[in-house]
Amino acid sequence: MNPATVKNLQQPCDTLVLTFIPGGDGQLRYYEDDGMSQQYKTNYAVTTVSKKQEGNTVRVRISPREGSFAGASDSRSYELRFPAVFPPKSVKVNGKELAYSRFPKAGEWTYDGYTLAPVIYTGTTACDAPVEIELAFDDYATAHQADLYGMSGVFKRCLDLTVEFKTEQGAHSEPYLMLPEEYLRVSQCPNFILEEPFRIAEFIGAYAKNKAALFEKTDSMTIIGDNFKQRLKAVIGSVK
């Protein structure tokens, strides 16, 4: 994909965003042309990207670009996303270990608490040279990856649910009354992870317990209606 700064397909883009869906090994061939002429059958370029997992290591290879077209850039950077994956022990690009940063720049990596994804920023690289990316995980991350499946959807639904909760609570009581602490522990889980990603196992482990405490609390609340109580359980109670 293109970064959010790109508004149309004719606009030059110096960053390619790649998302690697959890699962088996895979490969794609990324096609490019000038986006304007009718020479797409003859003047184009293809970049092959492959992903392979061996034990606790995930390797991605971005092969040298093959072919060319009018206006093709000589270099670009990559943003690689790996949703529903624990933070890795280390990240390397072309053999060089990248530093983790809460606010990353090129040549660093970070962790997105809402999509539960390591996000790697390679920095600028020549399009005619290969890029090798390696993520190394510990045994726990590999064995418990499925624990993260579906969590991102719950986290995103909580964004809208928080607004609904405030509206529901305000309709029956003081409009500026704080939301219950039990709800905040659940809805703010992705923010806890965002701030301290290497404690993710602890936060995810506490999530189920916090959710049970939330429902016990909301069932006893008289300032929210029964319909909203059921909506809370439907949105948070299931992972989809």
Side-chain angles (χ1 to χ4, degrees):
M1 299 181 70
N2 289 323
T5 53
V6 174
K7 303 302 181 183
N8 62 73
L9 296 180
Q10 283 70 48
Q11 179 179 342
C13 176
D14 61 0
T15 301
L16 182 62
V17 181
L18 299 170
T19 299
F20 297 84
I21 305 304
D25 300 342
Q27 178 177 289
L28 70 85
R29 286 169 56 81
Y30 174 66
Y31 169 93
E32 302 171 89
D33 59 34
D34 63 17
M36 294 180 288
S37 74
Q38 298 297 311
Q39 300 180 36
Y40 55 87
K41 290 185 178 181
T42 55
N43 295 345
Y44 64 89
V46 174
T47 302
T48 300
V49 181
S50 61
K51 169 204 161 192
K52 186 175 182 63
Q53 181 156 356
E54 299 173 333
N56 291 350
T57 302
V58 172
R59 292 186 174 87
V60 171
R61 175 181 169 82
I62 303 173
S63 298
R65 186 174 65 193
E66 300 176 3
S68 189
F69 53 91
S73 61
D74 295 329
S75 62
R76 66 173 159 223
S77 60
Y78 296 93
E79 177 183 324
L80 295 87
R81 295 179 162 269
F82 297 82
V85 172
F86 281 89
K89 293 192 304 179
S90 66
V91 174
K92 294 181 180 179
V93 174
N94 291 336
K96 178 183 177 181
E97 185 164 346
L98 271 55
Y100 165 82
S101 175
R102 172 68 175 80
F103 302 100
K105 58 182 182 294
E108 296 179 336
W109 72 277
T110 193
Y111 194 80
D112 184 339
Y114 276 86
T115 59
L116 300 171
V119 185
I120 301 166
Y121 300 88
T122 66
T124 303
T125 183
C127 292
D128 61 359
V131 184
E132 306 272 357
I133 300 98
E134 179 182 291
L135 291 79
F137 299 89
D138 59 26
D139 291 339
Y140 182 91
T142 302
H144 290 265
Q145 183 172 343
D147 294 352
L148 303 183
Y149 295 167
M151 293 298 297
S152 177
V154 175
F155 292 162
K156 290 176 181 177
R157 292 196 294 273
C158 279
L159 294 173
D160 292 332
L161 191 64
T162 296
V163 177
E164 294 179 34
F165 203 152
K166 290 179 179 179
T167 302
E168 175 75 13
Q169 194 168 253
H172 297 84
S173 183
E174 295 296 328
Y176 300 108
L177 191 67
M178 288 289 292
L179 295 179
E181 181 180 344
E182 292 83 355
Y183 175 75
L184 296 177
R185 287 177 185 159
V186 170
S187 64
Q188 293 301 308
C189 185
N191 290 322
F192 300 153
I193 295 170
L194 192 66
E195 293 295 335
E196 299 184 86
F198 298 102
R199 293 178 61 193
I200 184 173
E202 175 187 340
F203 296 136
I204 295 295
Y207 181 83
K209 187 180 297 184
N210 291 338
K211 188 168 62 174
L214 165 63
F215 295 150
E216 182 177 349
K217 172 67 176 180
T218 53
D219 282 347
S220 68
M221 293 176 68
T222 58
I223 61 172
I224 60 175
D226 289 340
N227 288 339
F228 185 73
K229 291 177 184 179
Q230 294 305 313
R231 173 151 173 73
L232 271 172
K233 293 178 180 178
V235 171
I236 298 177
S238 61
V239 175
K240 295 181 180 178

